Amino acid sequence: MKKIFIIAASALLLAACGGNKTENASGENADASVQELTAELDQALAGEQPDGKEVEDLMKRGQDAVQELMAKGDSAAARAYADRLNAYVQANIEKIKAAAPNAGGLLEEVAAKGEQTVDEAKERAEEAVEEAKDRAEQAAAEAKEQAKAAAEQKVTEAEEAAKAKVNDAVNKGIDRLNNALKK
């Protein structure tokens, strides 16, 4: 019965991840796929004696679909799928609990794991921000050093050019003086 709520946890975790909310064709495919799954879940939950095994299998299939989309690198579609599945689970939580009577404790466990995962995601995001800040500061320091080296090179070149002009002027002056003395 834990499998039923693992998909709910996966959906909550993916919903908490945030990020790019744009949906493309794969997001639309995810929407159609999750609609098909929720229709099957509605059938499994219908009646006085819902089929707990079928509900469990369908929830597992939903979890597998989200993981498959993530494995393909299509996080937008996975997030869309998980969001829609999560909304369905939240809307039908009582029916799901009825199909799986041991769900109460599991839902609390899923919620706690969801909060823990959100906290871990926040920590990773903060670490990523700090790393980016450090890289930016390092790049700025390197750029500053390069600019300083380039400026020092220009100053050296200017000094050498000025010395060369002074030497040329002195040499011309000496040449004029020598020419004047020879006459």
Side-chain angles (χ1 to χ4, degrees), residues 8 10 12 20 26 55 58 77 82-83 89 135 143 152 154 162 172 174 177:
S10 297
L12 287 172
N20 186 1
S26 60
V55 171
L58 290 170
D83 287 344
V89 168
R135 284 193 304 265
E152 288 174 354
K154 293 285 186 185
K172 283 182 184 178
I174 291 175
L177 183 60

Side-chain angles (χ1 to χ4, degrees), residues 35-106:
Q35 285 177 357
E36 180 183 319
L37 180 67
T38 56
E40 291 179 42
L41 278 166
D42 281 337
Q43 288 178 347
L45 292 170
E48 288 187 31
Q49 291 292 339
D51 186 350
K53 175 69 173 139
E54 185 178 358
V55 171
E56 181 179 323
D57 291 344
L58 290 170
M59 294 300 281
K60 175 72 173 130
R61 193 172 89 197
Q63 179 184 16
D64 291 345
V66 170
Q67 290 175 348
E68 181 180 324
L69 289 169
M70 289 299 285
K72 289 180 181 176
D74 195 353
S75 60
R79 196 172 8 261
Y81 192 100
D83 287 344
R84 286 168 182 81
L85 187 57
N86 184 44
Y88 177 85
V89 168
Q90 293 302 318
N92 295 288
I93 195 72
E94 294 304 319
K95 290 180 183 178
I96 293 171
K97 281 183 181 179
N102 300 329
L106 293 175

Side-chain angles (χ1 to χ4, degrees), residues 18-33:
N20 186 1
K21 298 290 182 185
T22 12
E23 291 183 13
N24 52 22
S26 60
E28 293 169 4
N29 291 340
D31 188 39
S33 179

